[in-house]
Amino acid sequence: MTEISGFLKYEFDWSIPFREPYLQMMITGVKITLLLFVVTSITSLILGTIIAIMRISRIKILRILGTLYVEIFRNIPGLFWLLFFYFVFPSLLPFGLGERLNAYIYYPVVAGIIGLTVDNASYVSDILRSGRLTIPHGQREAAISTGLNRVQQYLYVLLPQMYRATLPPLGTRMVHNFKNTSLCMAITAPELTWATQQIESLTFRGVEATAIATVFYVVLSLLMFATVIMLEKKLKIDITSITRSRA
Amino acid sequence: MKGLLSQFENWDFYLYGSFTGGEPGGLLLNIILAVLSLSMSFIFGVLLGYSRLSSRRYVRYPCIAYIEFVRSTPLIMIIFWSYFFLPYLIGKDIPIFWSAVISLCIYAAAYQAEIVRAGILAVPGGQLEAALSTGMSRYQGLRYVVLPQAFRMMLPSFVSFFVSLFKDTSTTYIIGLIELTQTGVIISQREPDKMYAAYLSMAIGYFVVCFSLSRLARRLEKRIGVFDLESYRPEATRDEFMLLPKRKKGGEVNLATE
């Protein structure tokens, strides 16, 4: 094992990831990965929508704040934000809240959720904003003329169209977000990648676990890509008819 | 004031590492990694992107498989494969730096292939037809007519991809390369009173490079025009893409959505 020489000197032992306690690590890893993905997808969609609305609002200060948010979070890697929320953020909190957070056993997962959310939300808001620009003015005018107030305009007219028009890039973004959950291993959140590395460092035989994890990521990502394509066909807005009527 | 400045006294470590091991580190290493892997994988990206459009199935399908596989794998997984498994495969140890470069190359090639494919598809089909009708071969038409136009349109996408690749180089922190994130973490652990300064330096380092480059990408987009890279679909036909950018006389690209 220690001496590496010759071509492919590795004997696979596929029983390792299926042996206790490693099996338990892998199962927990899958659970935490899915938890991180689902929670951050929802929270980043909400936060991203808020930022997008801020950036297209008429109030200047909101626009500036929104742009500032996007520039800061898009130009600094997600890994930095994960490390920041894990190591630095608790010490910024007053009233001993930080110590309590550090003592909390699942704080790595919480920090991962916060870090992934703020990172992903900046991309989501950018995508949604570009989606807003493709909606013809008439839509909003129609919404105003039916007596909807500003909130209702967004809720019932603009936002549904924004999501539909930007479905493909949003879907790609969510797949990115799913892959980014693997970065949480850097802050010791016990997700799948962390589990494979734990097995590697405990047994020096992490290749099998890594292979299983890779297959897991690839299959789920491809499924998501396929879902997006299917959804898109179903929900497609006929852009050509809109542009034609505008021309 | 002096106390504040002493918080940042390790600025040279963040910027270019310690050089004690004879190797550059810090922000410089991030830039080296990104530039090296982008340029090394460029030719593979072009080949993959073009082969994906081939009419021959045995050329097209392996390329699709490679691109989709890499695009659906987290970068960390690719890094681990080249870090843990590649030494077994080739039978000797690889320095961390090179296993990082190799994995970034594998990663970047797939994404560049997508940019190249979108760029080629964004060139109106009439261009290739015109080239063929003047008696050029398919290769000549591609080399002298389609690709030069495609590259022009790809330029903004390449710059924004470089920004994202530059950010992704921070992932090599996990296998222990002393790049900017690693330098910041090292300082903040060695001298806890400098934690805020270390994280601030990291953030500033990434921000300055990425912000200026994304500004450049945006300016290029305004000048050259942009195609929507994320929203195109694998099954979309060439004809659909011919509708997207229309060339004006001044050489500017006009998007159908404008």
Side-chain angles (χ1 to χ4, degrees):
Chain A
M1 261 312 291
T2 47
E3 191 187 322
I4 304 170
S5 62
F7 182 76
L8 195 49
K9 280 283 167 72
Y10 189 87
E11 285 167 23
F12 286 92
D13 180 1
W14 289 98
S15 69
I16 285 180
F18 297 103
R19 214 182 283 161
E20 293 297 344
Y22 311 123
L23 182 65
Q24 200 50 49
M25 278 181 186
M26 295 287 279
I27 291 172
T28 316
V30 169
K31 279 183 196 159
I32 299 281
T33 297
L34 290 179
L35 174 89
L36 282 170
F37 167 62
V38 173
V39 173
T40 57
S41 293
I42 296 168
T43 48
S44 65
L45 208 56
I46 295 169
L47 185 60
T49 308
I50 294 170
I51 304 284
I53 293 173
M54 276 168 75
R55 288 183 72 192
I56 49 188
S57 96
R58 286 185 307 186
I59 304 159
K60 200 175 177 189
I61 185 82
L62 285 183
R63 273 206 314 267
I64 293 172
L65 283 177
T67 312
L68 205 65
Y69 177 92
V70 172
E71 291 296 349
I72 288 176
F73 284 92
R74 275 198 72 153
N75 288 317
I76 297 174
L79 182 64
F80 171 85
W81 292 114
L82 290 176
L83 294 172
F84 175 82
F85 281 106
Y86 184 56
F87 288 115
V88 184
F89 183 63
S91 68
L92 291 170
L93 293 174
F95 311 124
L97 261 175
E99 281 92 60
R100 271 210 228 146
L101 273 184
N102 275 332
Y104 183 45
I105 184 165
Y106 286 115
Y107 185 61
V109 179
V110 176
I113 288 174
I114 302 174
L116 288 172
T117 301
V118 294
D119 182 49
N120 202 37
S122 62
Y123 293 92
V124 170
S125 79
D126 238 22
I127 293 168
L128 285 177
R129 184 170 149 262
S130 67
R132 172 69 184 85
L133 300 177
T134 62
I135 302 175
H137 278 297
Q139 293 287 328
R140 183 165 208 166
E141 284 158 17
I144 295 170
S145 69
T146 55
L148 299 181
N149 65 31
R150 291 190 135 267
V151 179
Q152 286 169 329
Q153 283 167 30
Y154 268 103
L155 274 184
Y156 301 121
V157 180
L158 296 175
L159 278 180
Q161 294 190 65
M162 273 155 77
Y163 289 128
R164 274 172 76 168
T166 56
L167 191 66
L170 270 186
T172 317
R173 195 59 234 165
M174 288 310 160
V175 177
H176 264 287
N177 186 33
F178 171 61
K179 294 191 289 174
N180 280 349
T181 58
S182 61
L183 289 177
C184 291
M185 73 154 291
I187 54 170
T188 67
E191 47 80 57
L192 189 58
T193 313
W194 182 84
T196 65
Q197 287 323 294
Q198 208 61 14
I199 294 172
E200 161 77 32
S201 59
L202 288 174
T203 62
F204 295 108
R205 301 183 72 81
V207 174
E208 294 86 352
T210 312
I212 292 171
T214 309
V215 171
F216 173 81
Y217 283 116
V218 169
V219 168
L220 267 188
S221 302
L222 288 180
L223 273 179
M224 274 182 242
F225 277 129
T227 317
V228 170
I229 290 172
M230 237 173 58
L231 271 179
E232 196 211 345
K233 268 186 193 152
K234 226 175 176 180
L235 300 174
K236 195 174 180 183
I237 306 175
D238 196 355
I239 291 282
T240 47
S241 73
I242 297 170
T243 44
R244 235 175 255 151
S245 65
R246 271 200 295 167
Chain B
M1 189 63 202
K2 209 175 174 190
L4 194 67
L5 274 181
S6 72
Q7 286 278 304
F8 292 94
E9 65 187 0
N10 303 95
W11 60 272
D12 50 342
F13 187 52
Y14 303 127
L15 219 51
Y16 49 78
S18 59
F19 273 118
T20 45
E23 277 179 23
L27 187 62
L28 182 64
L29 184 61
N30 287 78
I31 296 172
I32 292 174
L33 276 173
V35 171
L36 207 59
S37 45
L38 189 87
S39 46
M40 276 167 69
S41 62
F42 177 73
I43 185 73
F44 295 109
V46 174
L47 284 177
L48 273 170
Y50 182 63
S51 314
R52 194 178 173 167
L53 293 170
S54 166
S55 52
R56 295 183 183 87
R57 277 189 196 159
Y58 59 86
V59 177
R60 191 171 67 224
Y61 284 170
C63 292
I64 294 178
Y66 175 84
I67 293 169
E68 292 305 324
F69 183 80
V70 172
R71 264 161 51 94
S72 45
T73 317
L75 178 60
I76 295 194
M77 281 289 152
I78 303 173
I79 290 177
F80 282 151
W81 279 112
S82 75
Y83 180 59
F84 291 116
F85 195 59
L86 208 57
Y88 288 115
L89 204 62
I90 61 169
K92 57 177 158 181
D93 271 326
I94 312 173
I96 309 178
F97 174 76
W98 286 107
S99 63
V101 170
I102 290 169
S103 43
L104 285 168
C105 277
I106 293 171
Y107 178 78
Y111 284 86
Q112 292 197 67
E114 291 295 273
I115 297 173
V116 169
R117 182 174 75 126
I120 290 174
L121 287 177
V123 176
Q127 294 286 330
L128 185 64
E129 278 165 27
L132 294 179
S133 69
T134 57
M136 284 184 177
S137 69
R138 224 184 126 73
Y139 169 76
Q140 282 173 326
L142 196 81
R143 166 75 185 74
Y144 297 108
V145 178
V146 175
L147 278 184
Q149 297 182 52
F151 277 130
R152 201 181 128 80
M153 286 197 251
M154 281 179 233
L155 202 61
S157 303
F158 268 118
V159 177
S160 13
F161 176 67
F162 182 78
V163 176
S164 110
L165 187 68
F166 176 77
K167 284 190 290 176
D168 285 335
T169 57
S170 65
T171 312
T172 57
Y173 152 77
I174 286 165
I175 54 170
L177 221 53
I178 318 259
E179 44 73 73
L180 184 56
T181 312
Q182 188 80 272
T183 56
V185 172
I186 288 174
I187 295 290
S188 69
Q189 277 169 359
R190 213 180 277 165
E191 294 161 78
D193 57 308
K194 281 185 190 160
M195 183 169 75
Y196 297 128
Y199 277 81
L200 196 62
S201 312
M202 272 150 81
I204 291 172
Y206 284 116
F207 186 82
V208 166
V209 175
C210 293
F211 182 75
S212 42
L213 278 172
S214 48
R215 272 295 135 103
L216 175 70
R218 211 170 298 167
R219 276 181 68 173
L220 286 172
E221 269 167 23
K222 271 192 190 139
R223 269 186 56 189
I224 300 176
V226 63
F227 44 78
D228 201 352
L229 186 68
E230 284 195 321
S231 71
Y232 69 69
R233 301 159 308 283
E235 78 283 1
T237 59
R238 190 176 278 261
D239 292 281
E240 268 185 85
F241 279 100
M242 283 165 59
L243 294 173
L244 272 175
K246 282 180 185 142
R247 242 155 220 285
K248 274 187 197 164
K249 266 183 190 165
E252 281 183 16
V253 175
N254 189 8
L255 281 174
T257 48
E258 268 177 11

